[in-house]
Amino acid sequence: MITNARVLQSEFVPNDVKHRPAEVSHLSDTLRPVTNGNRPEPSFLYGPSGAGKTCIARHTVEQLRENVVDLNTQYVNCWEEHTAFQTLYRVLDAVGNTHDIHRRSTPTDELVQRLREYDGPQYIVILDEVDQLEDKEILYDFYRIRNLSMILIANREEDVFSDFDGRLNSRLQTCIRIRFNQYSLDQLVTILEDRVQWGLEQGAIETQGLERIADHAAGDARIAIGLLRNAARQAVQQQTEQITDDVIDAVVSETKSEIRQKTTDKLTPHQQVLYDLITETDRIGAGNLYSAYCETVEDPKTRRTMRNHLSKLQQYNLITASGNTRNRTYSACG
DNA sequence: GATCCACAGGAATCCTCGGGGT
DNA sequence: ACCCCGAGGATTCCTGTGGATC
């Protein structure tokens, strides 16, 4: 049934991207100056999750690498590397300048300094989930590095640009903004068809089955591909040679919670507890939440810290807050 | 309308961790 | 073995806000 499991991962970047032609050409036009050794303007890709931002960015950069002899590139997920130090380290790492940098004893300023001394070929850095970057000032530092250009990726425009100060804003205001909309049902089916062709035996699933998957995914390619993968696995287990509607329906809730799990895994234990408490109730105020939290955990942090955690959870789109001051309540998203 | 209360979130400060230098 | 340093998390302190109460 499964002939190539790798292409059933949503992180897999295909050589050939049939969907999103407008976005691809907009981005590659923007990056074109590197082919002449010049520095492109920074670009900013935004839109809902599973809309292909990361995939298109990586794909486009990969295409460039094949055509440009001298080009450095790096991909950084700012959720995983959310401090200025970690992000800088990654960026320096790709140009091989980190051998004597130590996590605790090298000041961040020195990393910036070292990056300023960069004198190599054009360098494209993809900063994914850039809204999760704690210290956005560092984008200003990146902007001033010779031969370094950035591709920024985030869900919402305002998450990135609202907390810039004027200086940073005026610099990055000019960046090329490319909006990604949710995939339509037909586009999702096209994406899935490719994956089926590359990764499954012929006839493993009908077009009608792909439409059913696309329907469950509601425009999110990550969910769609996850569904296809889990359905194929399930079919293998059941030793059937076709992915039926029943198989698809059976893996829907499992797949969706699997994807949600991936985000909650990145939370600290205390954030996890707060998130669980909020999901257990449909809405809860700050006072009740804090006392419930104190009962659950043996070494509770202060109220202030809880508020920091709560705003983090909001940034991650796991919870929403409604109402002001005394009447504010928190509830889980989705 | 004045006052109180519960809360949000900014800023300064404290605490802890882990590696380097001596 | 000891101290020192910087980062990042947590805490303390604070101001601002808006509904509740008298």
Side-chain angles (χ1 to χ4, degrees):
Chain A
M1 159 81 67
I2 299 175
T3 57
N4 184 353
R6 205 166 60 93
V7 304
L8 299 180
Q9 305 285 333
S10 56
E11 296 81 20
F12 174 76
V13 180
N15 291 326
D16 181 24
V17 179
K18 293 198 193 97
H19 50 288
R20 301 284 188 222
E23 288 81 355
V24 171
S25 68
H26 196 168
L27 183 59
S28 49
D29 285 350
T30 307
L31 298 176
R32 181 136 313 138
V34 296
T35 56
N36 300 320
N38 294 318
R39 173 171 129 155
E41 285 293 307
S43 41
F44 177 53
L45 318 186
Y46 65 103
S49 51
K53 302 182 294 295
T54 305
C55 178
I56 298 295
R58 301 191 81 153
H59 167 79
T60 310
V61 169
E62 204 46 51
Q63 294 292 107
L64 274 174
R65 278 172 71 89
E66 284 174 18
N67 297 317
V68 180
V69 184
D70 257 349
L71 181 65
N72 283 321
T73 63
Q74 175 66 304
Y75 170 86
V76 185
N77 186 313
C78 297
W79 188 329
E80 276 146 30
E81 323 286 336
H82 63 282
T83 65
F85 186 94
Q86 292 169 324
T87 302
L88 264 164
Y89 187 89
R90 280 267 165 209
V91 171
L92 270 172
D93 200 31
V95 290
N97 220 343
T98 48
H99 51 280
D100 57 342
I101 287 175
H102 300 99
R103 207 187 137 244
R104 294 272 178 186
S105 54
T106 310
T108 305
D109 289 348
E110 198 186 313
L111 269 68
V112 176
Q113 192 49 46
R114 209 176 282 210
L115 198 55
R116 286 215 184 96
E117 289 159 13
Y118 174 70
D119 197 21
Q122 289 295 321
Y123 183 14
I124 299 179
V125 178
I126 301 174
L127 297 172
D128 204 351
E129 309 202 57
V130 69
D131 50 317
Q132 297 304 328
L133 200 55
E134 233 125 70
D135 185 9
K136 305 252 182 359
E137 279 282 299
I138 192 183
L139 295 178
Y140 184 66
D141 291 323
F142 284 144
Y143 185 82
R144 298 198 304 170
I145 304 302
R146 182 173 20 156
N147 288 357
L148 186 148
S149 50
M150 298 181 277
I151 301 176
L152 310 176
I153 301 178
N155 289 133
R156 299 187 312 157
E157 232 178 330
E158 57 269 33
D159 290 342
V160 182
F161 292 95
S162 60
D163 49 333
F164 282 175
D165 61 17
R167 178 183 51 152
L168 197 49
N169 237 332
S170 62
R171 298 288 185 136
L172 290 173
Q173 207 77 57
T174 60
C175 75
I176 311 300
R177 300 179 193 218
I178 305 176
R179 188 186 157 74
F180 284 66
N181 293 313
Q182 275 200 334
Y183 284 116
S184 70
L185 197 109
D186 290 345
Q187 287 172 319
L188 278 185
V189 171
T190 315
I191 292 168
L192 289 172
E193 272 169 351
D194 281 342
R195 305 289 169 125
V196 169
Q197 193 195 328
W198 299 327
L200 296 182
E201 274 169 20
Q202 208 169 1
I205 185 166
E206 303 285 324
T207 307
Q208 186 268 332
L210 296 182
E211 280 166 3
R212 194 178 189 86
I213 290 177
D215 197 42
H216 280 300
D220 188 328
R222 200 163 39 139
I223 296 178
I225 293 166
L227 281 170
L228 180 65
R229 182 181 63 241
N230 285 342
R233 274 200 204 133
Q234 180 77 14
V236 170
Q237 262 180 26
Q238 292 180 4
Q239 298 180 344
T240 56
E241 55 260 30
Q242 257 231 328
I243 297 173
T244 60
D245 286 355
D246 288 344
V247 173
I248 293 168
D249 293 345
V251 297
V252 169
S253 65
E254 173 203 342
T255 306
K256 286 188 178 172
S257 67
E258 202 177 283
I259 287 169
R260 181 161 290 264
Q261 186 68 35
K262 266 194 176 171
T263 43
T264 53
D265 276 352
K266 294 178 191 165
L267 302 176
T268 68
H270 286 270
Q271 292 169 342
Q272 189 85 243
V273 167
L274 287 168
Y275 176 64
D276 289 345
L277 286 169
I278 292 168
T279 39
E280 280 163 22
T281 59
D282 53 336
R283 46 184 50 252
I284 188 167
N288 291 335
L289 180 58
Y290 187 69
S291 39
Y293 161 73
C294 288
E295 281 172 28
T296 312
V297 90
E298 74 276 21
D299 54 339
K301 308 292 179 193
T302 56
R303 282 189 152 82
R304 183 68 189 88
T305 301
M306 178 188 77
R307 287 202 289 275
N308 283 338
H309 287 333
L310 289 176
S311 67
K312 256 287 180 269
L313 293 177
Q314 280 184 75
Q315 275 186 52
Y316 296 164
N317 276 321
L318 292 170
I319 65 168
T320 51
S322 52
N324 293 320
T325 59
R326 302 181 54 136
N327 294 325
R328 177 173 285 198
T329 55
Y330 298 92
S331 51
C333 287

